[in-house]
């Protein structure tokens, strides 16, 4: 996600926009830029018009430095702080983007799915592109539309009708200097209403020092904002009357979307994260995935005889699930290794080996060095990374971005479910080139599409999980049990508890329980058993019976409609049914919330766990 802010009024726009971008930095921070509509100087038809810009790679502070010494005066303008999705962090890819005549400037949050076809069409009409982004097509479409209809809001309206995908958009033009046109489809836009001045932003956090009177656009709406007016219409030009709201929260709470912690906010983003990870990547009717980032190694993938996945921490647990997916549905042998082990041992690799790095940050030192070692030995490398432009993303031969948005919390939650979805998409891609049938491919694709609403169902039961955490917070030890696809879920659920609440939680493959772990069980050592109705369900029931026989308390994660497990376990949390390979994506969500609320019960701050960093960039 990116941060957008616009101002139009009686004050100089630049300082207001820069301050606003600082407050939006949590939404994206790899590059930032401003476009200020000058009130004096060259007229709209001079080269570069009356709009002056500045852009910088890095944090907003870099942009502020780049603005110093430039003439950026004007009482209207837009700004953007970027979280790259298409095109690495670089000045040429930094918003605002302009058309060929530099009379129209746009800032965009979201993904334009049909940007490639639009770009090709515009190039045929001799438009010259400066960036690698999807967003830039909007500026060039606007240039053509304005020639047809020289009214900014009408030109924007006809432009928006050509777009497919999501946008939170703001537009300024030298032709109509006291106007911002903004629109929303799938990415938030809020208007801030002041005295003789008005604001546009991605959320209200940058507005609070100017006004607390706001109104929110809905999907499919566009607004025209001037210093003293704001009008809202739908894309088919129907007027919209929208009342204002008064923001009570402070800026910190705003940045957390109204949640008390980034950890909870990011868990709650689950449905949207899955939608964004899947966006434009599923061809359901053919049971296929479309992963543009793999084109450069498509032949290597077709010839692959062996996959090794290297990762750390939560990403390692995602890799363990990916191993089972790829072996069962793509028929390729897979090894999963801690990157910190892989890089120091003598792995056997050859030109038919694909080494995959899974890493949210794309900067984890061990994972990066493991990839470098793999490349030295001639393997083809592939990154599953959330941060565009990160080192692992740049050094792997190809990759798939999560599009999960910035993950601020030290606890990796939304990135984990996105990693599992990406691994499922990779399984579809590799499997359908091998033995995976159309029928099964379609079944996997359809099950992926159902995930967002199933996760939303789980999140609606947050209060029930909070109650369970209250019951279990008194224990100092916990055993997490899972098998097969939920073997890794057991370890991931335990890691969340360890790193946030400091309770000693032990992940354990349930088949291993009797090889030592069960010795720890007594009434002070409860077990969380992940036991959805799948191919190893009966085995899990036996494990639960063995735990109960030793006075161990059991909290089970089970499938809705299961009538047996409630007779055995002390507590049960039910999750919606899905296909076995995707059950870890649903099973982990209550465990993330459980860990979060255990942490609160222990009066700890889940956003600031002791001894941990968000990205382990040193060994
Ligand atoms: C997960 O909650 C932890 N914060 C940590 O284990 C993390 O997953 C690990 O450091 C790997 O980070 P990466 O995905 O950025 O490489």
């Amino acid at each position: 996600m990116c941060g957008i802010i616009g101002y139009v009024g009686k004050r100089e726009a630049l300082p207001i926009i820069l301050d606003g971008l600082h407050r939006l930095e949590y939404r994206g921070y790899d590059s930032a830029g401003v476009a200020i509509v000058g009130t004096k100087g060259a007229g709209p038809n001079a080269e570069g018009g009356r709009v002056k810009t500045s852009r910088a790679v890095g944090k907003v502070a870099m942009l502020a430095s780049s603005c110093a010494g430039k003439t950026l005066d004007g009482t209207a303008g837009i700004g953007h702080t970027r979280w790259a999705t298409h095109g690495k962090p670089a000045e040429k890819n930094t918003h605002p983007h302009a058309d060929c005549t530099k009379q129209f400037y746009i800032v965009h949050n979201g993904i334009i799915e049909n940007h490639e076809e639009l770009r090709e069409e515009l190039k045929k009409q001799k438009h010259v592109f400066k960036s690698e982004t999807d967003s830039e097509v909007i500026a060039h479409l606007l240039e053509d539309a304005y020639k047809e209809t020289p009214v900014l809001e009408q030109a924007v309206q006809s432009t928006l009708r050509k777009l497919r995908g999501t946008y939170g958009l703001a537009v300024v033009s030298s032709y109509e200097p006291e106007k911002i046109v903004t629109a929303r489809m799938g990415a938030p836009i809020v208007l801030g209403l002041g005295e003789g001045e008005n604001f546009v932003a991605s959320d209200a956090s940058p507005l609070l020092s100017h006004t607390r009177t706001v109104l929110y656009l809905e999907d499919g709406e566009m607004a025209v904002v001037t210093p003293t007016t704001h009008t809202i219409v739908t894309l088919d030009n129907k007027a919209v009357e929208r009342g204002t709201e008064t923001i009570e929260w402070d800026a910190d709470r705003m940045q957390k979307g109204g949640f008390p912690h980034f950890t909870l906010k990011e868990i709650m983003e689950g449905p949207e994260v899955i939608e964004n990870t899947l966006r434009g990547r599923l061809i359901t009717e053919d049971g296929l995935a479309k992963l543009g980032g793999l084109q450069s190694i498509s032949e290597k993938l077709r010839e692959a005889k062996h996959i090794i996945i290297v990762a750390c921490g939560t990403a390692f647990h995602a890799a363990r699930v990916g191993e089972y997916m790829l072996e069962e549905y793509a028929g390729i042998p897979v090894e999963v290794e801690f990157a910190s082990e892989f890089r120091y041992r003598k792995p056997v690799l050859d030109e038919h080996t694909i080494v995959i790095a899974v890493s949210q940050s794309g900067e984890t030192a061990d994972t990066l060095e493991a990839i470098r070692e793999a490349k030295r030995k001639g393997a083809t490398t592939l990154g599953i990374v959330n941060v565009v432009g990160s080192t692992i993303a740049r050094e792997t031969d190809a990759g798939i971005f999560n599009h999960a948005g910035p993950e601020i919390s030290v606890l990796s939650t939304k990135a984990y479910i996105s990693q599992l979805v990406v691994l499922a998409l990779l399984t579809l891609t590799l499997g359908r080139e091998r033995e995976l049938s159309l029928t099964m491919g379609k079944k996997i694709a359809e099950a992926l599409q159902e995930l967002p609403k199933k996760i939303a169902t789980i999140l609606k039961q947050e209060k029930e999980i909070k109650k369970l955490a209250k019951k279990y917070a008194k224990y100092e030890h916990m055993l997490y049990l899972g098998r097969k696809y939920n073997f890794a879920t057991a370890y991931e659920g335990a890691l969340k508890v360890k790193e946030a609440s400091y309770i000693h939680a032990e992940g354990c493959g349930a088949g291993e329980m009797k090889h030592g772990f069960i010795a720890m069980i007594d009434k002070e050592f409860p077990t969380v058993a992940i036991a959805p109705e799948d191919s190893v369900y009966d085995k899990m029931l036996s494990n639960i019976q063995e735990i109960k026989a030793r006075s161990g308390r059991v909290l089970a994660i089970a499938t809705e409609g299961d009538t047996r497990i409630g007779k055995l376990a002390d507590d049960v949390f039910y999750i919606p049914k899905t296909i076995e390979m995707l059950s870890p994506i649903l099973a982990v969500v209550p465990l993330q919330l459980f860990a979060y609320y255990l942490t609160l019960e222990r009066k700890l701050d889940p956003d600031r766990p002791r001894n941990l960093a968000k990205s382990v960039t040193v060994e």
Side-chain angles (χ1 to χ4, degrees):
M1 68 187 167
C2 305
I4 288 175
I5 181 162
Y7 172 80
V8 58
K10 48 190 185 287
R11 292 186 283 164
E12 280 302 310
L14 182 63
I16 294 171
I17 289 173
L18 287 176
D19 174 65
L21 289 176
H22 273 295
R23 296 171 191 280
L24 288 167
E25 207 155 28
Y26 77 94
R27 297 177 65 89
Y29 36 74
D30 58 46
S31 53
V34 294
I36 306 295
V37 190
T39 43
K40 47 182 179 298
N45 300 318
E47 169 54 28
R50 270 206 283 225
V51 182
K52 296 283 175 277
T53 62
S54 189
R55 296 178 182 81
V57 174
K59 295 209 164 216
V60 173
M62 301 299 286
L63 171 65
S65 313
S66 78
C67 292
K70 284 183 183 174
T71 308
L72 290 163
D73 60 336
T75 58
I78 51 178
H80 184 277
T81 182
R82 186 169 183 242
W83 172 263
T85 56
H86 293 72
K88 62 184 180 301
E91 192 162 325
K92 67 176 180 179
N93 292 330
T94 304
H95 301 218
H97 290 299
D99 67 306
C100 301
T101 68
K102 295 186 182 172
Q103 307 301 329
F104 303 95
Y105 286 80
I106 67 105
V107 287
H108 169 236
N109 177 23
I111 294 177
I112 305 301
E113 289 175 21
N114 59 333
H115 71 95
E116 286 161 337
E117 58 205 73
L118 289 170
R119 179 185 277 249
E120 287 319 304
E121 192 50 45
L122 287 160
K123 278 180 171 174
K124 282 185 199 142
Q125 295 158 29
K126 307 289 180 241
H127 283 273
V128 177
F129 280 80
K130 302 265 193 316
S131 82
E132 303 157 332
T133 68
D134 55 327
S135 310
E136 190 183 348
V137 299
I138 301 171
H140 295 286
L141 288 171
L142 197 47
E143 176 190 348
D144 290 350
Y146 201 80
K147 284 177 193 151
E148 296 295 314
T149 323
V151 177
L152 191 56
E153 54 268 32
Q154 291 177 29
V156 171
Q157 224 165 27
S158 67
T159 296
L160 296 179
R161 290 193 196 104
K162 295 179 181 144
L163 305 182
R164 213 174 48 245
T166 57
Y167 52 78
L169 181 70
V171 176
V172 290
S173 171
S174 54
Y175 291 110
E176 302 180 38
E178 288 215 324
K179 188 184 278 185
I180 297 178
V181 179
T182 182
R184 171 192 163 139
M185 181 65 80
I189 288 286
V190 58
L191 305 190
L193 308 182
E195 294 299 318
E197 59 184 18
N198 285 321
F199 304 78
V200 172
S202 302
D203 67 46
S205 51
L207 309 181
L208 301 180
S209 54
H210 307 293
T211 177
R212 286 182 175 270
T213 305
V214 300
L215 60 87
Y216 292 88
L217 292 192
E218 301 291 339
D219 280 353
E221 291 179 348
M222 183 186 81
V224 182
V225 181
T226 70
T228 55
T229 64
H230 65 278
T231 47
I232 304 174
V233 292
T234 59
L235 288 193
D236 47 9
N237 230 11
K238 291 192 181 64
V240 173
E241 286 307 316
R242 174 76 37 79
T244 61
E245 300 178 33
T246 304
I247 296 285
E248 307 297 345
W249 286 327
D250 62 19
D252 180 57
R253 192 68 181 249
M254 277 311 308
Q255 291 179 355
K256 293 165 186 162
F259 293 104
H261 300 101
F262 279 112
T263 305
L264 184 58
K265 171 177 181 276
E266 289 162 4
I267 294 170
M268 289 297 178
E269 284 176 4
E272 175 193 345
V273 164
I274 302 293
E275 283 168 357
N276 287 335
T277 303
L278 289 173
R279 194 178 302 284
R281 289 173 161 174
L282 267 182
I283 309 171
T284 307
E285 61 275 12
D286 299 331
L288 290 175
K290 192 170 69 167
L291 298 169
L294 301 185
Q295 266 162 4
S296 61
I297 62 167
S298 55
E299 275 321 298
K300 286 287 185 186
L301 290 172
R302 199 178 289 276
E303 293 155 11
K305 300 240 181 327
H306 177 209
I307 291 176
I308 298 177
I309 313 178
V310 294
C312 302
T314 287
F316 174 83
H317 299 147
R320 288 305 303 263
V321 179
E323 173 188 5
Y324 291 16
M325 291 177 175
L326 288 161
E327 291 199 338
E328 180 163 9
Y329 295 106
I332 304 174
V334 179
E335 281 174 68
V336 176
E337 295 234 27
F338 284 116
S340 51
E341 286 299 309
F342 177 88
R343 64 181 288 204
Y344 290 113
R345 73 179 189 76
K346 189 179 176 303
V348 178
L349 310 175
D350 62 25
E351 71 279 9
H352 296 302
T353 305
I354 305 286
V355 177
I356 300 175
V358 183
S359 175
Q360 188 286 129
S361 63
E363 301 298 346
T364 298
D366 284 323
T367 309
L368 174 58
E369 288 308 322
I371 282 297
R372 287 172 175 166
E373 182 66 8
K375 290 177 79 169
R376 273 183 219 111
K377 294 182 183 299
T380 300
T381 57
L382 188 164
I384 295 176
V385 177
N386 192 34
V387 181
V388 176
S390 59
T391 310
I392 292 173
R394 282 183 285 109
E395 295 198 11
T396 40
D397 298 314
I400 308 164
F401 288 120
N402 290 95
H403 294 165
E407 187 175 67
I408 310 296
S409 171
V410 169
L411 276 64
S412 189
T413 54
K414 66 175 186 174
Y416 180 68
I417 58 174
S418 175
Q419 287 161 353
L420 295 179
V421 168
V422 166
L423 285 159
L425 291 170
L426 180 63
T427 300
L428 266 184
T429 298
L430 300 184
R432 294 280 286 120
E433 289 173 353
R434 293 169 173 80
E435 304 302 311
L436 184 60
S437 69
L438 168 62
T439 309
M440 191 60 212
K442 280 175 73 171
K443 193 169 175 205
I444 294 170
E446 287 157 359
L448 281 166
Q449 285 181 317
E450 289 169 1
L451 287 175
K453 69 173 186 302
K454 292 184 173 178
I455 291 176
T457 303
I458 294 168
L459 295 173
K460 284 195 186 90
Q461 301 169 68
E462 177 189 2
K463 285 192 174 49
E464 192 179 332
I465 296 167
K466 187 175 178 178
K467 275 191 223 140
L468 288 169
K470 202 176 274 303
K471 275 167 92 170
Y472 285 81
K474 65 188 180 197
Y475 296 109
E476 291 307 322
H477 305 278
M478 290 182 188
L479 181 66
Y480 275 65
L481 287 185
R483 285 177 183 262
K484 204 173 170 191
Y485 280 100
N486 286 294
F487 171 95
T489 311
Y491 284 83
E492 175 55 17
L495 176 61
K496 288 283 128 351
V497 170
K498 271 195 275 263
E499 61 178 335
S501 71
Y502 318 146
I503 292 171
H504 165 229
E506 184 95 23
C508 168
E512 278 296 293
M513 189 183 78
K514 289 193 283 193
H515 298 280
F517 292 85
I518 197 165
M520 300 186 290
I521 297 303
D522 59 25
K523 62 183 185 350
E524 292 311 315
F525 204 123
T527 296
V528 176
I530 300 109
E533 280 175 342
D534 58 15
S535 60
V536 287
Y537 172 72
D538 289 332
K539 299 290 178 201
M540 286 304 296
L541 286 192
S542 306
N543 287 121
I544 292 170
Q545 282 163 331
E546 286 153 3
I547 296 277
K548 292 302 299 169
R550 287 153 182 86
S551 314
R553 184 175 194 145
V554 175
L555 162 59
I557 306 295
T559 305
E560 280 167 0
D562 180 336
T563 56
R564 297 167 60 190
I565 205 159
K567 300 184 179 84
L568 289 173
D570 300 274
D571 301 284
V572 185
F573 183 85
Y574 293 97
I575 60 175
K577 185 152 187 62
T578 184
I579 61 174
E580 183 165 357
M581 75 175 250
L582 300 183
S583 66
I585 299 169
L586 298 184
V588 78
V589 175
L591 300 181
Q592 292 171 343
L593 281 171
F594 185 61
Y596 171 76
Y597 280 110
L598 281 175
T599 306
L600 298 193
E601 284 299 315
R602 296 213 153 197
K603 309 281 183 275
L604 296 167
D605 181 347
D607 282 355
R608 291 183 177 76
R610 68 186 179 197
N611 311 337
L612 294 177
K614 179 56 187 170
S615 179
V616 183
T617 54
V618 293
E619 279 191 69

